[in-house]
Amino acid sequence: LNPLGDREVFGAHPSSELVFPAPPGARRLQAGFGLLPGAYADSAKHTDGVLFEVLRQTPDGQFQLLAERLLTPAIRESDRGTQEFDLELPAGIVGDLILRTGPGPANDLAFDWAYWSFVTVK
């Protein structure tokens, strides 16, 4: 866990995955994500971005991309702070839900101090 203001967030430096089974009857996934401010604070040394993905892995091993977002907070101020996925899940979803972080466009892992701040599936 990493401190961020008055709360702690789960550090998820690329490449990482959080995997958990989809609960029976799940219809919505909400998840907060972002990069720690130190990842983009220095104009000379900063992240090139981090790709955040939400996937579903079916029981037969297939992957389905449910959402993705590339954050580049060093060049896009709107990518700073905690962002949020708010997804309607496919009806009758079974299998695993995966929260994945990956490197930015230059495939450079330096300063990719990514985090997930909350995950709710209901």
Side-chain angles (χ1 to χ4, degrees):
L1 294 178
N2 295 300
L4 181 64
D6 61 351
R7 66 182 196 272
E8 291 185 325
V9 295
F10 182 82
H13 190 83
S15 294
S16 65
E17 292 183 342
L18 299 175
V19 180
F20 49 95
R27 298 294 295 142
R28 184 169 256 16
L29 178 140
Q30 296 172 303
F33 60 96
L35 283 99
L36 295 173
Y40 52 85
D42 185 330
S43 61
K45 299 178 189 175
H46 56 76
T47 180
D48 73 320
V50 172
L51 180 64
F52 293 83
E53 297 175 306
V54 179
L55 302 107
R56 166 189 175 213
Q57 184 175 15
T58 61
D60 65 355
Q62 300 297 312
F63 290 92
Q64 176 187 14
L65 181 65
L66 301 176
E68 69 178 347
R69 176 103 184 267
L70 174 65
L71 296 184
T72 55
I75 58 173
R76 187 179 307 133
E77 285 189 31
S78 62
D79 286 352
R80 297 176 184 179
T82 300
Q83 310 294 309
E84 187 174 329
F85 286 124
D86 187 358
L87 309 173
E88 185 173 331
L89 297 172
I93 189 169
V94 294
D96 290 334
L97 294 170
I98 302 166
L99 304 179
R100 179 185 294 166
T101 59
N107 205 28
D108 181 357
L109 299 176
F111 300 95
D112 284 356
W113 302 329
Y115 66 84
W116 295 96
S117 63
F118 64 87
V119 178
T120 304
V121 180
K122 50 186 171 181

